[in-house]
Coordinates of all heavy atoms in Angstrom, one line a residue:
V134 N -18.7 7.8 -22.8 CA -18.0 6.8 -22.0 C -17.0 7.6 -21.0 O -16.3 8.4 -21.4 CB -17.1 5.8 -22.8 CG1 -16.3 4.9 -22.0 CG2 -18.0 5.0 -23.8
S135 N -17.1 7.2 -19.8 CA -16.2 7.8 -18.8 C -14.8 7.5 -19.1 O -14.4 6.4 -19.4 CB -16.5 7.2 -17.4 OG -15.5 7.5 -16.5
N136 N -13.9 8.5 -19.0 CA -12.5 8.3 -19.2 C -12.0 7.3 -18.2 O -11.1 6.4 -18.5 CB -11.7 9.6 -18.9 CG -12.0 10.6 -20.0 OD1 -13.0 10.6 -20.6 ND2 -11.0 11.5 -20.2
L137 N -12.4 7.4 -17.0 CA -11.9 6.5 -15.9 C -12.3 5.0 -16.2 O -11.5 4.1 -16.1 CB -12.4 6.9 -14.6 CG -12.0 8.3 -14.1 CD1 -12.7 8.6 -12.7 CD2 -10.5 8.4 -13.9
Q138 N -13.5 4.8 -16.7 CA -13.9 3.5 -17.1 C -13.0 3.0 -18.3 O -12.6 1.8 -18.3 CB -15.4 3.4 -17.5 CG -15.9 2.0 -17.9 CD -17.3 2.0 -18.4 OE1 -17.8 3.0 -19.0 NE2 -18.0 0.9 -18.2
A139 N -12.8 3.8 -19.3 CA -12.0 3.4 -20.4 C -10.6 3.1 -20.0 O -10.0 2.1 -20.4 CB -12.0 4.5 -21.5
I140 N -10.0 3.9 -19.1 CA -8.6 3.6 -18.6 C -8.6 2.2 -17.9 O -7.6 1.5 -18.0 CB -8.2 4.7 -17.7 CG1 -7.9 6.0 -18.5 CG2 -6.9 4.3 -17.0 CD1 -7.8 7.3 -17.6
S141 N -9.7 1.9 -17.1 CA -9.6 0.6 -16.4 C -9.5 -0.6 -17.3 O -9.0 -1.6 -16.9 CB -10.9 0.5 -15.6 OG -12.1 0.1 -16.4
T142 N -9.9 -0.4 -18.6 CA -9.8 -1.6 -19.5 C -8.3 -2.0 -19.8 O -8.1 -3.0 -20.4 CB -10.6 -1.4 -20.8 OG1 -10.0 -0.3 -21.5 CG2 -12.0 -1.1 -20.5
F143 N -7.4 -1.1 -19.5 CA -6.0 -1.4 -19.8 C -5.4 -2.2 -18.7 O -4.2 -2.6 -18.8 CB -5.2 -0.1 -20.0 CG -5.5 0.6 -21.3 CD1 -6.6 1.5 -21.3 CD2 -4.8 0.3 -22.4 CE1 -6.9 2.1 -22.5 CE2 -5.1 0.9 -23.7 CZ -6.2 1.8 -23.7
G144 N -6.1 -2.5 -17.6 CA -5.6 -3.3 -16.5 C -5.8 -4.7 -16.8 O -6.4 -5.2 -17.8
T145 N -5.2 -5.6 -15.9 CA -5.3 -7.0 -16.0 C -5.8 -7.7 -14.7 O -6.1 -8.9 -14.7 CB -3.9 -7.7 -16.4 OG1 -3.0 -7.3 -15.4 CG2 -3.4 -7.2 -17.7
G146 N -5.9 -6.9 -13.6 CA -6.2 -7.5 -12.3 C -7.8 -7.5 -12.2 O -8.5 -6.9 -12.9
P147 N -8.2 -8.3 -11.1 CA -9.7 -8.3 -10.9 C -10.3 -7.0 -10.4 O -11.4 -6.7 -10.6 CB -9.8 -9.4 -9.8 CG -8.4 -9.6 -9.2 CD -7.5 -9.1 -10.3
L148 N -9.4 -6.2 -9.6 CA -9.9 -4.9 -9.2 C -8.8 -3.9 -9.7 O -7.6 -4.0 -9.5 CB -9.9 -4.8 -7.7 CG -11.1 -5.6 -7.0 CD1 -10.9 -5.4 -5.5 CD2 -12.4 -5.0 -7.4
R149 N -9.4 -2.8 -10.3 CA -8.5 -1.9 -11.0 C -8.8 -0.4 -10.5 O -9.8 0.1 -10.7 CB -8.7 -1.9 -12.5 CG -8.5 -3.4 -13.1 CD -9.0 -3.6 -14.4 NE -8.8 -5.0 -14.8 CZ -9.1 -5.4 -16.0 NH1 -9.5 -4.6 -17.0 NH2 -8.9 -6.7 -16.3
A150 N -7.8 0.2 -9.9 CA -7.9 1.5 -9.4 C -7.4 2.5 -10.5 O -6.3 2.3 -11.0 CB -7.1 1.7 -8.1
V151 N -8.2 3.4 -10.8 CA -7.9 4.4 -11.8 C -7.9 5.8 -11.2 O -8.8 6.2 -10.5 CB -8.9 4.3 -13.0 CG1 -8.5 5.3 -14.1 CG2 -8.9 2.9 -13.6
Q152 N -6.9 6.6 -11.5 CA -6.8 8.0 -11.1 C -6.1 8.8 -12.1 O -5.2 8.4 -12.8 CB -6.1 8.1 -9.8 CG -4.7 7.7 -9.8 CD -3.9 7.9 -8.4 OE1 -4.5 7.3 -7.5 NE2 -2.8 8.4 -8.4
I153 N -6.6 10.0 -12.3 CA -6.0 11.0 -13.2 C -6.0 12.4 -12.4 O -6.7 12.6 -11.5 CB -6.7 11.1 -14.6 CG1 -8.2 11.5 -14.4 CG2 -6.5 9.9 -15.3 CD1 -8.9 11.8 -15.7
D154 N -5.1 13.2 -12.8 CA -4.8 14.5 -12.2 C -6.1 15.4 -12.4 O -6.6 15.6 -13.5 CB -3.6 15.1 -12.8 CG -3.2 16.5 -12.1 OD1 -3.7 16.7 -11.0 OD2 -2.4 17.2 -12.7
A155 N -6.5 16.0 -11.3 CA -7.7 16.9 -11.3 C -7.2 18.3 -11.0 O -8.1 19.2 -10.9 CB -8.8 16.4 -10.4
R156 N -6.0 18.5 -10.9 CA -5.4 19.8 -10.5 C -5.6 20.2 -9.1 O -6.5 19.5 -8.4 CB -5.8 20.9 -11.5 CG -5.6 20.4 -12.9 CD -4.8 21.3 -13.7 NE -4.7 20.7 -15.1 CZ -4.1 21.2 -16.0 NH1 -3.5 22.3 -15.9 NH2 -4.0 20.6 -17.2
R157 N -5.0 21.2 -8.6 CA -5.2 21.7 -7.3 C -4.9 20.7 -6.2 O -5.5 20.6 -5.1 CB -6.6 22.2 -7.0 CG -6.9 23.5 -7.9 CD -8.2 24.0 -7.5 NE -8.9 24.6 -8.6 CZ -9.8 23.9 -9.3 NH1 -10.3 22.8 -9.0 NH2 -10.3 24.5 -10.4
G158 N -4.0 19.7 -6.5 CA -3.7 18.7 -5.6 C -4.7 17.5 -5.4 O -4.6 16.7 -4.6
D159 N -5.8 17.6 -6.3 CA -6.8 16.5 -6.3 C -6.6 15.6 -7.4 O -5.8 15.8 -8.4 CB -8.2 17.2 -6.5 CG -8.6 18.0 -5.3 OD1 -8.2 17.7 -4.2 OD2 -9.4 18.9 -5.5
I160 N -7.4 14.4 -7.3 CA -7.4 13.5 -8.4 C -8.9 13.1 -8.7 O -9.7 13.3 -7.8 CB -6.6 12.2 -8.1 CG1 -7.2 11.5 -6.8 CG2 -5.2 12.4 -8.0 CD1 -6.7 10.1 -6.5
Y161 N -9.1 12.7 -9.9 CA -10.4 12.0 -10.3 C -10.0 10.5 -10.1 O -9.0 10.1 -10.6 CB -10.8 12.3 -11.7 CG -11.1 13.7 -12.0 CD1 -10.3 14.5 -12.9 CD2 -12.2 14.4 -11.5 CE1 -10.6 15.8 -13.2 CE2 -12.5 15.7 -11.8 CZ -11.7 16.4 -12.7 OH -11.9 17.7 -13.0
A162 N -10.9 9.8 -9.5 CA -10.6 8.4 -9.2 C -11.8 7.5 -9.1 O -12.9 8.0 -8.8 CB -9.8 8.3 -7.9
A163 N -11.6 6.3 -9.4 CA -12.7 5.3 -9.2 C -12.1 3.9 -9.2 O -10.9 3.7 -9.6 CB -13.7 5.4 -10.4
L164 N -12.8 2.9 -8.8 CA -12.4 1.5 -8.7 C -13.3 0.7 -9.6 O -14.6 0.8 -9.4 CB -12.4 1.0 -7.3 CG -11.9 -0.4 -7.0 CD1 -10.4 -0.5 -7.4 CD2 -12.1 -0.8 -5.6
Y165 N -12.8 -0.2 -10.4 CA -13.5 -0.9 -11.4 C -13.1 -2.4 -11.2 O -12.1 -2.8 -10.7 CB -13.3 -0.5 -12.8 CG -13.8 0.8 -13.1 CD1 -12.9 2.0 -12.9 CD2 -15.0 1.1 -13.6 CE1 -13.4 3.2 -13.1 CE2 -15.5 2.3 -13.8 CZ -14.7 3.4 -13.6 OH -15.1 4.7 -13.9
D166 N -14.0 -3.3 -11.7 CA -13.6 -4.7 -11.7 C -13.1 -5.0 -13.1 O -13.0 -4.1 -13.9 CB -14.9 -5.6 -11.3 CG -16.0 -5.6 -12.3 OD1 -15.9 -5.1 -13.4 OD2 -17.1 -6.1 -12.0
D167 N -12.9 -6.3 -13.4 CA -12.3 -6.7 -14.6 C -13.2 -6.7 -15.8 O -12.8 -6.9 -17.0 CB -11.6 -8.1 -14.5 CG -12.5 -9.2 -14.0 OD1 -13.7 -8.9 -13.8 OD2 -12.1 -10.3 -14.0
A168 N -14.5 -6.3 -15.6 CA -15.4 -6.1 -16.6 C -15.8 -4.7 -16.8 O -16.8 -4.3 -17.5 CB -16.7 -6.9 -16.4
A169 N -14.9 -3.8 -16.2 CA -15.1 -2.4 -16.3 C -16.4 -1.9 -15.6 O -16.9 -0.8 -16.0 CB -15.1 -1.8 -17.7
R170 N -16.9 -2.6 -14.6 CA -18.0 -2.2 -13.8 C -17.5 -1.4 -12.6 O -16.5 -1.8 -12.0 CB -18.9 -3.4 -13.4 CG -19.6 -4.1 -14.5 CD -20.4 -5.3 -14.1 NE -19.5 -6.2 -13.4 CZ -19.4 -7.5 -13.8 NH1 -20.1 -8.0 -14.9 NH2 -18.6 -8.3 -13.2
V171 N -18.3 -0.4 -12.2 CA -17.9 0.4 -11.1 C -18.0 -0.4 -9.8 O -19.1 -1.0 -9.5 CB -18.8 1.7 -11.0 CG1 -18.5 2.5 -9.7 CG2 -18.6 2.5 -12.2
V172 N -16.9 -0.4 -9.0 CA -16.9 -0.9 -7.7 C -17.0 0.2 -6.6 O -17.7 0.1 -5.6 CB -15.6 -1.8 -7.4 CG1 -15.6 -2.4 -6.0 CG2 -15.6 -3.0 -8.5
Q173 N -16.2 1.2 -6.8 CA -16.3 2.4 -6.0 C -16.5 3.6 -7.0 O -15.8 3.7 -8.0 CB -15.1 2.6 -5.2 CG -14.9 1.7 -4.0 CD -13.7 2.0 -3.2 OE1 -12.9 3.0 -3.4 NE2 -13.4 1.2 -2.3
P174 N -17.5 4.4 -6.8 CA -17.9 5.4 -7.8 C -16.8 6.5 -7.9 O -15.9 6.7 -7.2 CB -19.2 6.1 -7.2 CG -19.1 5.8 -5.8 CD -18.4 4.5 -5.6
E175 N -17.0 7.2 -9.1 CA -16.0 8.3 -9.5 C -16.1 9.4 -8.5 O -17.2 9.8 -8.1 CB -16.3 8.8 -10.9 CG -16.1 7.7 -11.9 CD -16.4 8.2 -13.3 OE1 -16.9 9.3 -13.5 OE2 -16.1 7.4 -14.2
V176 N -15.0 9.9 -8.0 CA -14.9 11.0 -7.1 C -13.8 12.0 -7.5 O -12.9 11.6 -8.2 CB -14.6 10.5 -5.7 CG1 -15.8 9.7 -5.1 CG2 -13.3 9.8 -5.6
V177 N -13.8 13.2 -6.9 CA -12.7 14.1 -7.0 C -12.3 14.3 -5.5 O -13.1 14.6 -4.7 CB -13.0 15.4 -7.7 CG1 -14.1 16.2 -7.0 CG2 -11.8 16.3 -7.8
T178 N -11.0 14.0 -5.2 CA -10.6 13.9 -3.8 C -9.1 14.1 -3.8 O -8.4 14.1 -4.8 CB -11.0 12.6 -3.2 OG1 -10.7 12.7 -1.8 CG2 -10.4 11.4 -3.8
K179 N -8.5 14.0 -2.6 CA -7.1 14.1 -2.3 C -6.6 12.6 -2.6 O -7.2 11.7 -2.1 CB -6.7 14.5 -1.0 CG -7.1 15.9 -0.6 CD -6.4 16.9 -1.5 CE -6.8 18.3 -1.2 NZ -6.4 19.3 -2.3
P180 N -5.4 12.4 -3.2 CA -4.9 11.1 -3.5 C -4.8 10.2 -2.3 O -5.2 9.0 -2.3 CB -3.6 11.3 -4.1 CG -3.5 12.7 -4.5 CD -4.5 13.5 -3.7

């Protein structure tokens, strides 16, 4: 199970943005809906 997907289950909104530190000034991030389905895929990028 993706960490980002698991984190999204702690939200309450219809769209849930999840990000965690990826070091070097980057984040791992993704956007999920309220059923923990991917809306925007996981990426490593600048916040």
Side-chain angles (χ1 to χ4, degrees):
V134 175
S135 164
N136 292 26
L137 298 175
Q138 182 187 27
I140 293 167
S141 78
T142 66
F143 289 88
T145 57
L148 289 178
R149 302 167 186 187
V151 179
Q152 65 182 45
I153 56 176
D154 185 15
R156 313 234 176 180
R157 294 185 216 101
D159 290 334
I160 58 168
Y161 297 115
L164 183 64
Y165 295 89
D166 68 12
D167 56 358
R170 292 181 299 241
V171 174
V172 175
Q173 289 182 6
E175 297 179 356
V176 295
V177 60
T178 187
K179 298 293 180 201

